[in-house]
Amino acid sequence: MGSATREALARSVSALADLGSKADLATAEDLFAAGRVVADSAQLRAVLSDPTADPEGKAALVKRVFASLSEPAVTLLGVVVAQRWSSHDDLLAAIEELGIRAIAASAPRNVDIVAELFTFGGAVTSDAQLELALRSKLAGTDSKVALVERLLAGRASKETLAIVRQLVEQPRGRSIRESLRTAARIVAAQEGQTIATVHAASPLPEAQAERLRSVLSATYGDLKINQVVDPSIIGGLRVQIGDDVIDGSIASRLAELRLQLAG
């Protein structure tokens, strides 16, 4: 992410915070819809992401094109297009991120979106046919959305369903695994948390997972634990938090031993 995009995203997120409770699930749905319209129009995408274009002119264009959307969504879109982005892909990513953040900020406290995204991600990872169905270029978007709705009906909140539906409707070259991880990170960030991905040979008992979270939080701040079951780990744990990797797995130690013996 370029410096221009980082600054633009920070201003956009600040604008979302300023709206407070006015930004909700409906706002997010409008933002997602607008992002898809921009993505599908090369001309609109070029104009709105042009760093040399007049910011006020771009904001006025947004009001005309998206006049039917809710006021909070149009306000946020105006802020977004008035910024300087490193690329039009960054512009589209920002619109999506604001939508995800709006959902996270307005979701009821008893809704754990991150956990639901992790659960769905685990289902995708463990089912090759499901992953293929969601990434296949032969299947239409409508059929993929219908599949997601069937899978999540009664199993996930409407907030999580809205996010996953968006990821399927506008993949932007990402795999479903990658987009789910990104969405979970954004939700966690909106909640002031960081995600620790823990790879283990088998699921950690709840008490052990909580102890691990507590220990890591002392260094990294409030954390969400994402468990990934990986038999190749053999034993021990491999933990990734952002760019930091803590590898205490038996597989890693055996690999190091083999290197020492080979040397």
Side-chain angles (χ1 to χ4, degrees), residues 161-200:
L161 177 56
I163 292 173
V164 177
R165 188 190 297 118
Q166 159 63 16
L167 302 180
V168 171
E169 287 191 87
Q170 193 179 24
R172 301 201 333 271
R174 303 166 297 180
S175 69
I176 187 63
R177 294 189 198 185
E178 179 187 357
S179 58
L180 286 168
R181 285 196 298 267
T182 299
R185 177 189 58 75
I186 292 169
V187 172
Q190 180 63 31
E191 297 173 349
Q193 297 178 317
T194 304
I195 293 176
T197 300
V198 180
H199 296 258

Side-chain angles (χ1 to χ4, degrees), residues 131-153:
E131 185 171 12
L132 178 61
L134 290 175
R135 76 182 184 191
S136 173
K137 295 182 180 179
L138 299 178
T141 300
D142 289 346
S143 65
K144 293 178 184 179
V145 170
L147 173 60
V148 165
E149 290 176 342
R150 289 198 303 272
L151 291 171
L152 294 182

Side-chain angles (χ1 to χ4, degrees), residues 27-91:
T27 305
E29 295 276 22
D30 281 349
L31 288 171
F32 292 156
R36 292 192 293 272
V37 169
V38 174
D40 290 342
S41 171
Q43 183 177 7
L44 186 59
R45 191 169 62 246
V47 171
L48 295 181
S49 61
D50 183 356
T52 66
D54 174 40
E56 293 183 2
K58 290 192 288 185
L61 175 60
V62 161
K63 288 184 178 180
R64 291 198 303 272
V65 174
F66 300 110
S68 63
L69 301 186
S70 62
E71 183 179 344
V74 174
T75 297
L76 289 171
L77 288 169
V79 172
V80 170
V81 301
Q83 309 306 315
R84 294 175 62 90
W85 301 94
S86 300
S87 69
H88 61 73
D89 285 336
D90 288 347
L91 170 69

